[in-house]
Amino acid sequence: MAYTTIDKPTDYFNTVLYTGNGSTQSITGVGFQPDFVWLKGRSVVAGHNLHDVVRGVNKQVYTNTADAQETLTTLVTSFDSDGFSLGSNGNANSNTKTFVAWNWLAGGSASSNSDGSITSSVSANTTAGFSVVTYTGTGSAATVGHGLGAVPQWLMVKNTGASANWRVYHVSQGNTKAAALNITTEQAVADAGFWNNTTPTSSVFSIGSGYADSTNASSNTYVAYCFAEKKGYSKFGSYTGNGNADGPFIYTGFAVSWLMMKRTDSAAEWLIYDNKRDPFNLRDTRLEAQDNFADSTGTTKVFDFLSNGFKCKGNDSDINASGGNYIYMAFAEAPFVSSGKVPTTAI
């Protein structure tokens, strides 16, 4: 039986909930000093704010817009040993409003990486299979070092210097297509300008000849969040819907703590679920990466989180249309089998 080398997933990814105070505050309970923080308002309409150690703590991009990077000194002000600190910006700290923060551990301060034809700046955690990468586009086909030492299955790339759509590589879509994280209506689009029709390797990912909406416009700056699958900790896969309320079961090899998924053969939302906002089955509390909506609930876009995967329990076309194609990205609460080869159970 396969087992994990990561017995405590919360050492590398963790979700925390907090309430804003409209002033300044430090958010604790993450369990490590995060290198990538994704913040979202739960009870307030507010953008998805992404901050990382490579671009700098005051630099933010939004998953729900095509906007270029902003510098905001009143939003996330520092990454701390057990979390992060906030300023008074209402997008992440509005008084009495509730928020969620998803936190990943990369490799701390960035290092120069010359594995690709473009020199990149990389903060990488090879144990957890996660890196933050920045680079400058050339406008011609190129490669970019990601520092993972393993093949990434999921890339999220954003032009930080110009208004341009996010581009997502997912192993199940293949190297000819990319989805837009900030768009509901767009299916996965085929274009050699995204990944140069080339599958990532254990050292680099490929980018095509570019324009602003791609991954490699000349002289434009980019950030890439890169993920390689780690047994018992992360899973990047796909499934086919059956159209029934008793939907398909998807095996991950761990108890799920965080799930983002999207239908790829039709217009659909990027739906995000986690075990902190919704600690018990059925899990119906969701946010949408492409929108600034507050938490939503419902009876047809629901999942059960199980000890070894997740199961669709609704028949909404966004999660379970008959014959529909879906991609997902999941992180663990606990591995199904620990490094000591001991089965674990759902919490």
Side-chain angles (χ1 to χ4, degrees), residues 3 11 48 75 131-132 137 152 154 179 188-189 221 231 247 254 275 278 281-282 290 332 345:
Y3 59 93
D11 284 345
H48 292 254
L75 214 149
S131 66
V132 181
W154 176 25
V189 175
T221 54
K231 192 179 297 294
F254 51 78
N275 65 344
D278 210 347
N281 293 329
L282 297 166
Q290 83 291 335
T345 58

mmCIF file of all heavy atoms in Angstrom, residues 3 11 48 75 131-132 137 152 154 179 188-189 221 231 247 254 275 278 281-282 290 332 345:
data_model
loop_
_atom_site.group_PDB
_atom_site.id
_atom_site.type_symbol
_atom_site.label_atom_id
_atom_site.label_comp_id
_atom_site.label_asym_id
_atom_site.label_seq_id
_atom_site.Cartn_x
_atom_site.Cartn_y
_atom_site.Cartn_z
ATOM 1 N N TYR A 3 2.216 4.944 0.733
ATOM 2 C CA TYR A 3 2.118 5.787 1.912
ATOM 3 C C TYR A 3 2.872 7.090 1.678
ATOM 4 O O TYR A 3 3.700 7.213 0.777
ATOM 5 C CB TYR A 3 2.645 5.065 3.159
ATOM 6 C CG TYR A 3 4.077 4.614 3.073
ATOM 7 C CD1 TYR A 3 5.100 5.428 3.543
ATOM 8 C CD2 TYR A 3 4.406 3.368 2.538
ATOM 9 C CE1 TYR A 3 6.421 5.017 3.476
ATOM 10 C CE2 TYR A 3 5.727 2.956 2.465
ATOM 11 C CZ TYR A 3 6.725 3.780 2.936
ATOM 12 O OH TYR A 3 8.034 3.376 2.860
ATOM 13 N N ASP A 11 1.875 21.303 8.175
ATOM 14 C CA ASP A 11 3.202 21.918 8.227
ATOM 15 C C ASP A 11 3.531 22.643 6.926
ATOM 16 O O ASP A 11 4.493 23.423 6.876
ATOM 17 C CB ASP A 11 4.280 20.859 8.479
ATOM 18 C CG ASP A 11 4.323 20.399 9.924
ATOM 19 O OD1 ASP A 11 3.734 21.075 10.786
ATOM 20 O OD2 ASP A 11 4.946 19.350 10.183
ATOM 21 N N HIS A 48 -10.091 38.466 -4.202
ATOM 22 C CA HIS A 48 -9.131 37.465 -3.748
ATOM 23 C C HIS A 48 -7.742 38.095 -3.807
ATOM 24 O O HIS A 48 -7.273 38.477 -4.884
ATOM 25 C CB HIS A 48 -9.154 36.239 -4.657
ATOM 26 C CG HIS A 48 -10.405 35.433 -4.594
ATOM 27 N ND1 HIS A 48 -10.468 34.213 -3.959
ATOM 28 C CD2 HIS A 48 -11.636 35.658 -5.113
ATOM 29 C CE1 HIS A 48 -11.693 33.713 -4.085
ATOM 30 N NE2 HIS A 48 -12.424 34.575 -4.777
ATOM 31 N N LEU A 75 -2.404 46.399 3.395
ATOM 32 C CA LEU A 75 -3.075 45.106 3.336
ATOM 33 C C LEU A 75 -2.218 44.095 4.111
ATOM 34 O O LEU A 75 -2.151 44.171 5.329
ATOM 35 C CB LEU A 75 -3.336 44.692 1.884
ATOM 36 C CG LEU A 75 -4.647 43.897 1.691
ATOM 37 C CD1 LEU A 75 -5.236 44.164 0.339
ATOM 38 C CD2 LEU A 75 -4.430 42.430 1.913
ATOM 39 N N SER A 131 6.404 25.858 -5.435
ATOM 40 C CA SER A 131 7.342 26.961 -5.608
ATOM 41 C C SER A 131 6.642 28.194 -6.123
ATOM 42 O O SER A 131 5.602 28.117 -6.794
ATOM 43 C CB SER A 131 8.490 26.582 -6.566
ATOM 44 O OG SER A 131 8.021 26.368 -7.884
ATOM 45 N N VAL A 132 7.200 29.348 -5.752
ATOM 46 C CA VAL A 132 6.799 30.639 -6.286
ATOM 47 C C VAL A 132 7.921 31.103 -7.212
ATOM 48 O O VAL A 132 9.095 31.102 -6.828
ATOM 49 C CB VAL A 132 6.581 31.675 -5.173
ATOM 50 C CG1 VAL A 132 6.141 33.014 -5.764
ATOM 51 C CG2 VAL A 132 5.578 31.179 -4.143
ATOM 52 N N GLY A 137 9.259 38.051 -19.419
ATOM 53 C CA GLY A 137 9.024 37.435 -20.712
ATOM 54 C C GLY A 137 9.952 37.953 -21.800
ATOM 55 O O GLY A 137 10.476 39.071 -21.724
ATOM 56 N N PRO A 152 5.803 19.530 -12.364
ATOM 57 C CA PRO A 152 4.585 20.166 -11.861
ATOM 58 C C PRO A 152 3.356 19.706 -12.644
ATOM 59 O O PRO A 152 3.397 19.536 -13.858
ATOM 60 C CB PRO A 152 4.847 21.659 -12.064
ATOM 61 C CG PRO A 152 5.876 21.735 -13.136
ATOM 62 C CD PRO A 152 6.706 20.495 -13.019
ATOM 63 N N TRP A 154 0.355 21.414 -11.917
ATOM 64 C CA TRP A 154 -0.531 22.572 -11.864
ATOM 65 C C TRP A 154 0.323 23.827 -11.807
ATOM 66 O O TRP A 154 1.214 23.956 -10.963
ATOM 67 C CB TRP A 154 -1.428 22.466 -10.627
ATOM 68 C CG TRP A 154 -2.344 23.613 -10.364
ATOM 69 C CD1 TRP A 154 -2.841 24.506 -11.259
ATOM 70 C CD2 TRP A 154 -2.884 23.986 -9.084
ATOM 71 N NE1 TRP A 154 -3.659 25.412 -10.635
ATOM 72 C CE2 TRP A 154 -3.714 25.115 -9.312
ATOM 73 C CE3 TRP A 154 -2.772 23.467 -7.803
ATOM 74 C CZ2 TRP A 154 -4.405 25.741 -8.279
ATOM 75 C CZ3 TRP A 154 -3.457 24.096 -6.776
ATOM 76 C CH2 TRP A 154 -4.273 25.210 -7.019
ATOM 77 N N ALA A 179 -6.581 27.295 -18.953
ATOM 78 C CA ALA A 179 -7.822 27.901 -18.488
ATOM 79 C C ALA A 179 -7.501 29.254 -17.869
ATOM 80 O O ALA A 179 -6.364 29.515 -17.457
ATOM 81 C CB ALA A 179 -8.508 26.998 -17.464
ATOM 82 N N ALA A 188 -11.289 25.710 -21.212
ATOM 83 C CA ALA A 188 -9.860 25.595 -21.472
ATOM 84 C C ALA A 188 -9.594 25.913 -22.942
ATOM 85 O O ALA A 188 -10.246 25.376 -23.835
ATOM 86 C CB ALA A 188 -9.383 24.196 -21.132
ATOM 87 N N VAL A 189 -8.644 26.812 -23.207
ATOM 88 C CA VAL A 189 -8.368 27.328 -24.548
ATOM 89 C C VAL A 189 -7.070 26.733 -25.066
ATOM 90 O O VAL A 189 -6.068 26.646 -24.343
ATOM 91 C CB VAL A 189 -8.262 28.864 -24.518
ATOM 92 C CG1 VAL A 189 -7.859 29.413 -25.873
ATOM 93 C CG2 VAL A 189 -9.578 29.467 -24.058
ATOM 94 N N THR A 221 6.519 41.259 -16.836
ATOM 95 C CA THR A 221 6.896 40.468 -15.663
ATOM 96 C C THR A 221 5.760 39.519 -15.283
ATOM 97 O O THR A 221 4.575 39.848 -15.439
ATOM 98 C CB THR A 221 7.225 41.376 -14.475
ATOM 99 O OG1 THR A 221 6.127 42.267 -14.236
ATOM 100 C CG2 THR A 221 8.481 42.183 -14.766
ATOM 101 N N LYS A 231 2.425 12.364 -2.829
ATOM 102 C CA LYS A 231 1.533 11.317 -2.339
ATOM 103 C C LYS A 231 1.113 11.591 -0.898
ATOM 104 O O LYS A 231 1.932 11.902 -0.049
ATOM 105 C CB LYS A 231 2.222 9.958 -2.427
ATOM 106 C CG LYS A 231 1.282 8.766 -2.203
ATOM 107 C CD LYS A 231 2.034 7.449 -2.339
ATOM 108 C CE LYS A 231 2.581 7.261 -3.733
ATOM 109 N NZ LYS A 231 1.504 7.110 -4.749
ATOM 110 N N GLY A 247 -23.103 11.251 -6.752
ATOM 111 C CA GLY A 247 -22.121 11.458 -7.806
ATOM 112 C C GLY A 247 -20.882 10.605 -7.664
ATOM 113 O O GLY A 247 -20.784 9.748 -6.780
ATOM 114 N N PHE A 254 -5.902 10.771 0.541
ATOM 115 C CA PHE A 254 -5.841 11.521 1.799
ATOM 116 C C PHE A 254 -7.212 12.108 2.106
ATOM 117 O O PHE A 254 -8.087 12.220 1.236
ATOM 118 C CB PHE A 254 -4.796 12.634 1.741
ATOM 119 C CG PHE A 254 -4.875 13.553 0.549
ATOM 120 C CD1 PHE A 254 -5.827 14.560 0.478
ATOM 121 C CD2 PHE A 254 -3.982 13.418 -0.504
ATOM 122 C CE1 PHE A 254 -5.896 15.414 -0.611
ATOM 123 C CE2 PHE A 254 -4.039 14.266 -1.611
ATOM 124 C CZ PHE A 254 -4.990 15.268 -1.658
ATOM 125 N N ASN A 275 -12.019 22.718 4.807
ATOM 126 C CA ASN A 275 -12.541 22.064 6.016
ATOM 127 C C ASN A 275 -12.612 22.990 7.222
ATOM 128 O O ASN A 275 -12.992 22.539 8.306
ATOM 129 C CB ASN A 275 -11.678 20.842 6.361
ATOM 130 C CG ASN A 275 -10.256 21.204 6.742
ATOM 131 O OD1 ASN A 275 -9.794 22.319 6.492
ATOM 132 N ND2 ASN A 275 -9.544 20.259 7.332
ATOM 133 N N ASP A 278 -16.191 24.995 6.435
ATOM 134 C CA ASP A 278 -17.261 23.998 6.434
ATOM 135 C C ASP A 278 -16.688 22.697 7.002
ATOM 136 O O ASP A 278 -16.226 21.830 6.262
ATOM 137 C CB ASP A 278 -17.753 23.788 5.002
ATOM 138 C CG ASP A 278 -19.210 23.391 4.941
ATOM 139 O OD1 ASP A 278 -19.766 23.042 5.991
ATOM 140 O OD2 ASP A 278 -19.786 23.435 3.847
ATOM 141 N N ASN A 281 -19.402 17.192 6.729
ATOM 142 C CA ASN A 281 -20.163 16.827 5.531
ATOM 143 C C ASN A 281 -21.648 17.079 5.783
ATOM 144 O O ASN A 281 -22.116 16.886 6.908
ATOM 145 C CB ASN A 281 -19.946 15.342 5.200
ATOM 146 C CG ASN A 281 -18.516 15.062 4.770
ATOM 147 O OD1 ASN A 281 -17.861 15.924 4.190
ATOM 148 N ND2 ASN A 281 -18.033 13.860 5.038
ATOM 149 N N LEU A 282 -22.371 17.514 4.800
ATOM 150 C CA LEU A 282 -22.011 17.850 3.440
ATOM 151 C C LEU A 282 -21.262 19.189 3.410
ATOM 152 O O LEU A 282 -21.614 20.108 4.143
ATOM 153 C CB LEU A 282 -23.254 17.976 2.563
ATOM 154 C CG LEU A 282 -24.111 16.729 2.373
ATOM 155 C CD1 LEU A 282 -25.442 17.125 1.769
ATOM 156 C CD2 LEU A 282 -23.398 15.731 1.469
ATOM 157 N N GLN A 290 -12.959 33.283 -9.463
ATOM 158 C CA GLN A 290 -13.116 34.280 -10.521
ATOM 159 C C GLN A 290 -14.058 35.422 -10.125
ATOM 160 O O GLN A 290 -14.257 36.347 -10.906
ATOM 161 C CB GLN A 290 -13.610 33.616 -11.816
ATOM 162 C CG GLN A 290 -15.114 33.387 -11.894
ATOM 163 C CD GLN A 290 -15.636 32.330 -10.940
ATOM 164 O OE1 GLN A 290 -14.894 31.439 -10.538
ATOM 165 N NE2 GLN A 290 -16.907 32.424 -10.573
ATOM 166 N N ALA A 332 -4.274 17.994 1.515
ATOM 167 C CA ALA A 332 -4.658 17.026 2.533
ATOM 168 C C ALA A 332 -4.879 17.647 3.900
ATOM 169 O O ALA A 332 -4.199 18.597 4.305
ATOM 170 C CB ALA A 332 -3.587 15.939 2.646
ATOM 171 N N THR A 345 -7.657 8.151 9.620
ATOM 172 C CA THR A 345 -9.101 8.265 9.385
ATOM 173 C C THR A 345 -9.487 9.715 9.174
ATOM 174 O O THR A 345 -8.762 10.622 9.570
ATOM 175 C CB THR A 345 -9.899 7.696 10.583
ATOM 176 O OG1 THR A 345 -9.525 8.413 11.765
ATOM 177 C CG2 THR A 345 -9.623 6.216 10.773
#
